[in-house]
Amino acid sequence: MSEPEKQSTPPVNRFRNALSNGEFVLLVESSSPSLSNDPIAAGERLAALESAVLSVPGVNAALAITDRYLNLDAWRAVEYANALREENRDRHVIYLSGRNTTAEELEQLADAAAKSRNFNIVPVSGNCIPGDTLRECRKRVFTESVEILRGLSARPQPFFLGGTVNPYVYTPYTMMGQYFKLVKKLNAGASFVVAQAGWDMLKLQSLRWYFSGRNLYDPMIARLVLLTPNLVEKILAGEYPGIYISRDFQKILEKELRYSQNQFEAAQFRRIELQAAGCRLLGFSGIQLAGAETPSRAKIAAERIANALKEFDNFDSWLEEYNSYLARAEMSPFTSSFYLYDHTLRRAYPEEEHPAVRDFGEPKISPGEKLSFRLRRFLFEHADEQRADSRRLLKRLFASCRGCHNCRLPQTEFVCPESCPKRLPNGPCGGVKPTGECEIAPGECIHSKVLRLSYWNESMQTLEDRILDSGRDETFQ
């Protein structure tokens, strides 16, 4: 083989190969440390965590390094990952956050990732920092994950890209917004999916059923959390955007917190075992485990998960134990929570015909909203065929237009998607609240509003068809 031919041979990627071969993977999450940390000591801790995770037999385990998850004053994940052994980097996953990151900086980080052979990357738009005001959030740069995916997939390096989704939302319009945006991420270059952290297995199954019903079979990884008392307190205080604990689950945790520390920890490990086994039986390709960042804790968790995967080899025995352990606790945050399908978590996969989608019910549209929609439609019916800056003042007055290079009001129910506080035009972020409210601004997420109006206007199916039919490299909306 000539030298040019050798250079063109794609590098081995054991993470991608594991997903392709149907192996169940375990990613142990590690957050990039604060810049105030000694980089040598931080690197040694990451290397020790890597050694502990890779040493566990019976499960294909590796690391997932998050990027600026809750702290801007932190090492970038791409930089932190250099502490990993080079021969193992194809097994691990690196996150890349668009928060406070310009397009030029993302190019530099992509170059660094390629140079260090960190090819498994999950781009995220990033959340607002807890305590941010709306004004502070609007001042921040949020390069959207869809755009990051498009940029990375166009590069010559053989990146293996993932996309995230938050399935733990409980209004039909917020849920469909998450699903639609995930399809956009797949079209933009993502080849696997990581679901937001949560505890509602019905929502995880609904996510799988929706995508399999649309003939989309990209590997999915469920993010789980190994809880500690401190972590429970922070989640309940709202310090982890997009992650919520239901009242029933909170009562269970409060009861467990009255146990000794060892008993509380044992209860959390057993819950993780059941969730992990359930994810595999529901068709997920793996899990990403947060809350196990020390080598000893990560090794124990990996060993127990490996044993649980052997313990539960059929859905019925797992479901019986899962229901018994949780005492059929309600994992949804409120009583009127919406689920896409009936009879979920009664069988692993749809039998024969795919289950029918539940009726969304009558959308709540006020007379004022109807009048405003009709006025905007009259004024901007052909806005997508005109220059983006055409009739800018009217757009600002009647559609909250914030200015962009490509007006698409007719495709978004005449609601400007750029009015999102983070200026994310392609769909809701992972921090959207279960009720459909914006992570940072008062009121409804702008993308949830678009879909609510589209359902009232009987155009949601058209929107869904256009998104699903778009090519994997085509820009839409």
Side-chain angles (χ1 to χ4, degrees), residues 1-9:
M1 184 182 292
S2 66
E3 189 62 28
E5 289 176 318
K6 287 182 180 179
Q7 292 177 353
S8 65
T9 302

Side-chain angles (χ1 to χ4, degrees), residues 46-294:
L46 184 63
L49 181 64
E50 178 188 37
S51 296
V53 168
L54 296 184
S55 69
V56 178
V59 64
N60 191 326
L63 300 181
I65 302 178
T66 60
D67 188 38
R68 289 186 168 179
Y69 180 40
L70 293 174
N71 181 15
L72 286 176
D73 184 30
W75 292 97
R76 300 308 301 250
V78 170
E79 301 168 328
Y80 188 42
N82 286 330
L84 300 169
R85 296 179 63 179
E86 186 173 355
E87 63 268 25
N88 288 328
R89 290 176 187 170
D90 62 300
R91 304 179 66 166
H92 306 302
V93 173
I94 310 299
Y95 279 70
L96 181 57
S97 174
R99 185 176 64 185
N100 275 31
T101 311
T102 64
E104 292 75 17
E105 289 171 326
L106 286 165
E107 279 291 315
Q108 295 170 5
L109 290 168
D111 288 340
K115 185 176 180 180
S116 59
R117 304 181 70 80
N118 287 301
F119 293 124
N120 303 317
I121 296 182
V122 180
V124 293
S125 305
N127 294 316
C128 295
I129 297 174
D132 264 359
T133 65
L134 177 59
R135 176 175 293 183
E136 289 168 337
C137 187
R138 285 195 184 280
K139 289 180 179 178
R140 298 190 186 281
V141 173
F142 289 92
T143 302
E144 192 172 31
S145 55
V146 174
E147 299 305 323
I148 301 174
L149 283 164
R150 289 189 183 122
L152 291 176
S153 63
R155 293 173 64 96
Q157 291 86 4
F159 286 122
F160 184 54
L161 304 172
T164 58
V165 63
N166 182 0
Y168 303 103
V169 286
Y170 293 86
T171 74
Y173 316 109
T174 312
M175 176 195 65
M176 296 310 295
Q178 288 288 334
Y179 290 0
F180 288 178
K181 186 169 185 179
L182 178 55
V183 175
K184 294 181 181 185
K185 293 178 183 181
L186 296 172
N187 289 343
S191 296
F192 66 96
V193 176
V194 181
Q196 172 65 291
W199 291 269
D200 192 342
M201 300 296 288
L202 280 74
K203 281 293 182 179
L204 287 179
Q205 186 171 53
S206 294
L207 175 68
R208 288 289 308 160
W209 282 12
Y210 173 83
F211 280 84
S212 63
R214 273 69 180 170
N215 297 315
L216 296 171
Y217 298 101
D218 301 85
M220 289 188 173
I221 295 170
R223 185 167 177 250
L224 308 180
V225 180
L226 182 59
L227 289 170
T228 63
N230 184 50
L231 198 50
V232 171
E233 185 177 336
K234 288 184 176 182
I235 292 172
L236 291 174
E239 294 185 26
Y240 286 81
I243 303 178
Y244 296 89
I245 291 174
S246 72
R247 291 180 181 178
D248 276 9
F249 188 33
Q250 182 178 345
K251 291 177 182 177
I252 291 174
L253 291 171
E254 287 171 350
K255 181 179 178 181
E256 291 171 350
L257 285 167
R258 292 195 289 269
Y259 301 160
S260 68
Q261 182 176 344
N262 288 340
Q263 288 176 308
F264 176 84
E265 189 172 70
Q268 307 319 307
F269 275 119
R270 185 54 175 169
R271 184 170 292 114
I272 286 296
E273 292 173 17
L274 288 168
Q275 281 187 283
C279 287
R280 186 190 63 174
L281 293 167
L282 293 177
F284 281 77
S285 298
I287 62 169
Q288 179 175 312
L289 180 62
E293 293 202 12
T294 65

